[in-house]
Amino acid sequence: MTIDGRSLLAVVAALCVVFSIVVLALERRLRQPMPGLRLWAISNLLLGGAAAAHMLQGHVPLWVPAIIGNWAMLIGRSTSVAALRQFDRQPVPRAWLAAACGALMLAIAATLVWPDPRARAMIMVGGMAALASWATYTLAVSAPLSVSRALMMVGLGGWALANLWRLWTTAHLPDGAPVIDLHDPTVAAYMGALVIMDVFCNIGFVLLITDRMYEWVLQLARTDHLTGTLSRGALYTQAQRDLQLACRQRTHTAAFIVDIDRFKTINDSHGHAAGDAVLRHVSQHGQAVLRCTDLFGRYGGDEFVAILPETDLQTAAAIAERLRQAVGEPLPGAPALSCGPHGVTVSIGVAAIAPGGDCVDDLIAQADQALYIAKHAGRNCTRVADATAPPEKPALRVIQGGP
């Protein structure tokens, strides 16, 4: 059984339509927009239409495959480059794409005015090789390599190589030989390579979508929706890893708990919207004060916990006190908070675990005991637990602040 080029073009057209439907169905099911999906579906439909137009060669006027088919293929591959740029949140070079595509389209049209099938074929496959190479480069530089991204790069790179091979064979055709013979085994091999590479491209793109969806789910699980800080589970998991590393390296690890003073009164007197604004205010100050290596998450209600790797008790207390003072100041460009005559104040309990300790619960328990004393000392102050005392009865001292 021999598969000719016309049959393979029919397969390409059908696959492009199927993958367009798959991508559009995935986009419809997403709860938040994912850029690039609609453009990728459009590019597949254009490539499928181009394959259908070339499949009709010999049964329709020459301008149908030569103009409609080739133009649709060029626009489709240009659109796929734009889709990948959008998907990776990169600027789309619309002017460059339009200029390149327009120049190739005009060159192809010129080969009808001055008939030259070989020149038309060489312009077409050369342009497709260039656009596929551009798409491969976009994938390579826009994000770290992954299985899905590598699969797409194989597909698009294979597209480019297949077209370069076709460019070489077309340039070396003997005089008088037909440029495109859909029954020629060489053309069938070229079409077959394009089919395989197109499947790689589309499966890779679907996997890219699932990777992005997984990142979203992971982000939802790791992040507190209201404040943007770590969730309690994510904070605990990462803190445990940091403590295990500190245990191996014999370094200190500190923590402090931040509790918003009179938070229930703010909610009752000014409404939950004001309470939410206060939570965001404190979380933004906390993220601004802490270092990039520190962890900061919402522990529950109006409490936040910070984990500070490679930090001793004195340094952690200084950072906590800086946060306590900063909370009383408005954020640059933020509206004033309506939360009563006392403004926004916090009480903070600080603790540190000696080198060799690796229990998050003990560290947080010491900080919580220090916070308990700070709240009963009049609020709006920072207290520090002595790391040498047991968690159930820490020694405490006031660093700074008062009610």
Side-chain angles (χ1 to χ4, degrees):
M1 178 181 176
T2 303
I3 299 178
D4 62 1
R6 201 180 304 276
S7 301
L8 289 169
L9 284 169
V11 172
V12 170
L15 284 175
C16 286
V17 172
V18 168
F19 281 117
S20 293
I21 294 171
V22 169
V23 172
L24 289 174
L26 285 172
E27 184 195 39
R28 184 177 177 83
R29 292 181 63 85
L30 294 176
R31 297 299 181 91
Q32 54 182 309
M34 187 181 293
L37 269 62
R38 195 163 299 177
L39 272 183
W40 185 265
I42 291 171
S43 76
N44 262 323
L45 290 175
L46 287 167
L47 292 171
H54 282 289
M55 183 181 63
L56 298 175
Q57 182 176 328
H59 302 282
V60 294
L62 177 61
W63 61 266
V64 173
I67 296 296
I68 295 179
N70 288 334
W71 284 15
M73 192 172 295
L74 288 170
I75 297 172
R77 187 50 72 200
S78 299
T79 306
S80 68
V81 174
L84 292 173
R85 299 281 298 183
Q86 271 195 3
F87 185 84
D88 287 326
R89 300 182 180 90
Q90 300 290 326
V92 178
R94 292 182 176 86
W96 283 102
L97 281 172
C101 194
L104 290 168
M105 290 165 67
L106 288 174
I108 289 171
T111 63
L112 283 181
V113 180
W114 298 279
D116 190 344
R118 179 180 297 190
R120 180 166 58 248
M122 292 178 67
I123 291 168
M124 185 62 199
V125 295
M128 293 301 292
L131 289 170
S133 299
W134 191 350
T136 306
Y137 174 77
T138 295
L139 283 167
V141 302
S142 297
L145 189 64
S146 62
V147 173
S148 53
R149 197 166 289 269
L151 190 61
M152 282 202 73
M153 289 173 63
V154 168
L156 289 167
W159 248 79
L161 290 175
N163 279 286
L164 288 174
W165 174 73
R166 181 61 183 163
L167 179 64
W168 186 86
T169 57
T170 302
H172 289 80
L173 281 173
D175 294 336
V179 176
I180 299 179
D181 180 3
L182 294 180
H183 299 285
D184 184 355
T186 303
V187 174
Y190 167 67
M191 298 293 182
L194 294 186
V195 171
I196 295 171
M197 295 303 110
D198 203 53
V199 170
F200 281 3
C201 289
N202 280 285
I203 291 177
F205 191 74
V206 171
L207 290 176
L208 277 179
I209 296 172
T210 58
D211 288 347
R212 182 69 57 82
M213 293 168 66
Y214 175 76
E215 291 172 6
W216 285 352
V217 172
L218 190 63
Q219 184 71 10
L220 286 173
R222 287 168 46 85
T223 307
D224 178 69
H225 177 71
L226 177 61
T227 63
T229 60
L230 291 172
S231 65
R232 179 168 178 163
L235 177 74
Y236 191 93
T237 300
Q238 292 192 42
Q240 191 65 54
R241 291 175 184 168
D242 285 349
L243 276 176
Q244 289 173 355
L245 179 61
C247 182
R248 291 195 298 270
Q249 297 179 344
R250 309 297 296 177
T251 59
H252 288 84
T253 301
F256 58 77
I257 301 181
V258 181
D259 185 273
I260 301 173
D261 297 329
R262 304 180 182 87
F263 185 72
K264 186 177 184 303
T265 302
I266 294 172
N267 268 336
D268 294 343
S269 302
H270 302 279
H272 289 282
D276 290 347
V278 170
L279 286 169
R280 287 191 290 268
H281 173 83
V282 173
S283 70
Q284 289 167 0
H285 273 297
Q287 291 168 321
V289 166
L290 293 173
R291 305 161 299 186
C292 61
T293 55
D294 299 330
L295 306 176
F296 190 65
R298 189 176 176 190
Y299 199 62
D302 60 339
E303 288 186 342
F304 295 88
V305 168
I307 305 293
L308 294 80
E310 299 184 11
T311 306
D312 58 24
L313 189 63
Q314 184 176 3
T315 303
I319 295 172
E321 179 58 22
R322 190 160 67 247
L323 171 59
R324 186 194 67 79
Q325 294 176 357
V327 163
E329 302 295 331
L331 288 164
L337 296 173
S338 299
C339 51
H342 299 285
V344 181
T345 63
V346 294
S347 301
I348 305 178
V350 188
I353 194 166
D358 62 354
C359 183
V360 177
D361 292 328
D362 288 348
L363 179 60
I364 293 178
Q366 286 194 33
D368 192 47
Q369 287 291 332
L371 174 66
Y372 177 83
I373 301 301
K375 298 292 284 187
H376 285 78
R379 302 186 181 91
N380 192 22
C381 61
T382 301
R383 293 221 170 189
V384 177
D386 186 350
T388 61
E392 65 273 10
K393 191 176 180 181
L396 302 161
R397 56 191 177 88
V398 178
I399 292 297
Q400 197 173 349

